[in-house]
Amino acid sequence: MTEGSKSGVVAERIMIEADDVCFAYPGGHEVLKGLSCRIRKGEKVALIGPNGAGKSTFMSHLNGVELATSGRVLIDGLEVRKENLKTIRRKVGIVFQDPDDQLFCPTVFDDVAFGPLNLGLPRQEIEARVQEALAVVGLEGFEQRSSFHLSFGERKRLALATVLSYQPDILVFDEPSTNMDPLNRRNLINWLKASDKTILLCTHDLDIALEVCSRCLLLVDGRIAADGPAQDILYNRRLLEENKLELPLALMTHELLHGILHEQEMDEEHRHIISRFLHAHRHAHGPDGHVHVHLHAHSHEHDHLHEEVDESHFHAFGQHDHNGGHGHIAVPHAHDESGGHHEAAGRQESGSEKDKAS
């Protein structure tokens, strides 16, 4: 009996564990320099960092494409080494940045069926999995087309389908939204958010990271430089810029439009349009679930759902008071009751902190 079972506590299931992993290519160039992290079952984690940080190299360690020079990588408790690769590759599906690294069959159907076929599944089950995977990526009806006659974006989606069809426990994506048109990018985001898989997104698209992932790993020079809630890291302008990254575009847009709204003269029609764009969000507060929309920011936790809201819920700026100023978890700026704008470099000051500072 384990320690956890004796105490009645169920231990967390760790799906990905890197323990002091170092890796150097044959020429001697060291890429990973003591990387350590753990990813639990069902977590959705963004792996971000500047070019050359080692993101793709780390990903290649998760299914044994590369093996650690020292340290170790474990997948669901099984160490990544040659004798375990067959089992590990059934658990981990990697969608590479270049889809042509994964497509090699004469037709779309054959590419997507390749994984289930190698699992020894019956024909009926293979066909069902192919249809389901193609539906997820929006390629229904493409079964008999040549994979190499598709556009780059279509091949990108097809590469995802080839992984989904054998239903691994862990999905790893290298720049999943690159070259996707807006509709299919949105479909991918919705699927990722709804999935119960353990997901690692390696991406420069920090907007998709912010929307999909609850946790973020910042990889810099072969080591994890920051590990925490996605909002804490992706709102931290100074941390991102120090590591050659920028705030997600959505946050930069909020910041820019908030500045325009409160620092420039404009007619009421344009002011109303910008106000609706910035703050048409539904907020549930307190045990009674009170719902309202306002221009003030709140440091307390709340459900933050982007929905259309009836116009009667809008409060004019400066007319809605919640016992002082607040910091907002969803907009990277703060303002006081008089309308003064404070540029933020990441996390917000709470109202009490601002009172103390003044």
Side-chain angles (χ1 to χ4, degrees):
M1 183 176 286
T2 65
E3 196 75 32
S5 60
K6 286 179 183 177
S7 63
V9 177
V10 178
E12 290 182 313
R13 186 173 173 185
I14 304 300
M15 299 302 290
I16 298 174
E17 181 174 2
D19 181 15
D20 197 25
V21 173
C22 295
F23 176 77
Y25 285 104
H29 176 58
E30 190 178 20
V31 181
L32 303 181
K33 306 173 183 179
L35 186 155
S36 295
C37 67
R38 286 183 168 190
I39 297 175
R40 298 179 294 275
K41 180 177 173 59
E43 273 197 296
K44 295 172 185 172
V45 179
L47 179 66
I48 67 170
N51 289 333
K55 300 186 298 297
S56 295
T57 300
F58 174 56
M59 287 174 51
S60 69
H61 280 67
L62 300 180
N63 71 348
V65 173
E66 303 288 358
L67 297 174
T69 306
S70 65
R72 59 180 190 155
V73 177
L74 295 94
I75 300 298
D76 197 13
L78 189 63
E79 187 170 352
V80 179
R81 50 185 187 225
K82 289 182 180 179
E83 58 268 32
N84 296 333
L85 292 186
K86 185 175 181 180
T87 302
I88 284 170
R89 287 172 180 171
R90 289 187 176 187
K91 292 178 174 287
V92 180
I94 297 183
V95 184
F96 293 101
Q97 184 171 359
D98 185 349
D100 295 334
D101 290 341
Q102 294 178 250
L103 306 176
F104 49 84
C105 294
T107 68
V108 166
F109 180 93
D110 292 334
D111 265 319
V112 182
F114 183 82
L117 187 64
N118 280 300
L119 294 177
L121 300 177
R123 178 75 184 185
Q124 187 175 0
E125 174 68 13
I126 292 172
E127 291 179 350
R129 289 197 182 194
V130 170
Q131 296 305 319
E132 182 181 355
L134 290 176
V136 167
V137 301
L139 292 178
E140 308 99 315
F142 281 59
E143 288 85 351
Q144 298 311 313
R145 292 181 60 175
S146 167
S147 302
F148 300 102
H149 293 166
L150 304 180
S151 70
F152 184 88
E154 289 168 338
R155 297 201 307 278
K156 186 93 173 179
R157 287 185 279 147
L158 177 57
L160 171 57
T162 67
V163 172
L164 295 180
S165 64
Y166 69 89
Q167 300 180 358
D169 297 322
I170 302 166
L171 288 171
V172 181
F173 295 84
D174 191 0
E175 299 294 352
S177 58
T178 301
N179 287 48
M180 273 197 177
D181 57 64
L183 178 59
N184 283 302
R185 179 181 181 276
R186 173 50 50 190
N187 289 339
L188 173 64
I189 289 172
N190 290 340
W191 185 87
L192 290 169
K193 290 167 69 175
S195 175
D196 61 357
K197 303 284 189 185
T198 303
I199 292 173
L200 180 65
L201 291 184
C202 173
T203 184
H204 284 109
D205 182 349
L206 300 192
D207 287 88
I208 195 172
L210 183 62
E211 188 165 356
V212 170
C213 299
S214 60
R215 180 178 162 206
C216 190
L217 301 173
L218 174 60
L219 183 61
V220 180
D221 193 28
R223 298 182 179 89
I224 300 297
D227 176 357
Q231 288 182 335
D232 287 357
I233 292 175
L234 297 176
Y235 284 15
N236 192 328
R237 179 194 295 276
R238 178 177 296 175
L239 176 66
L240 295 175
E241 291 184 351
E242 284 176 350
N243 292 288
K244 303 178 183 178
L245 301 171
E246 288 188 322
L247 284 173
L249 182 60
L251 302 187
M252 294 175 67
T253 302
H254 266 280
E255 201 172 64
L256 174 65
L257 290 180
H258 187 270
I260 291 173
L261 183 66
H262 298 296
E263 293 176 0
Q264 295 187 18
E265 293 184 4
M266 66 183 73
D267 59 52
E268 286 305 310
E269 180 180 1
H270 286 90
R271 183 177 297 279
H272 182 68
I273 290 170
I274 294 177
S275 296
R276 283 183 63 90
F277 180 84
L278 283 174
H279 300 286
H281 306 301
R282 178 182 177 185
H283 299 267
H285 296 277
D288 63 351
H290 170 60
V291 174
H292 64 273
V293 174
H294 53 83
L295 283 171
H296 302 302
H298 297 271
S299 60
H300 52 273
E301 294 294 326
H302 58 270
D303 296 325
H304 188 219
L305 307 174
H306 294 257
E307 296 182 359
E308 288 297 324
V309 185
D310 186 86
E311 199 163 326
S312 64
H313 286 290
F314 281 86
H315 303 283
F317 178 70
Q319 294 181 357
H320 193 82
D321 188 359
H322 279 279
N323 301 318
H326 303 279
H328 198 303
I329 196 169
V331 182
H333 62 264
H335 52 264
D336 56 28
E337 295 295 326
S338 65
H341 179 259
H342 304 273
E343 182 174 349
R347 302 175 190 171
Q348 301 301 312
E349 291 181 311
S350 68
S352 61
E353 287 170 335
K354 286 190 288 182
D355 293 339
K356 291 175 186 175
S358 61

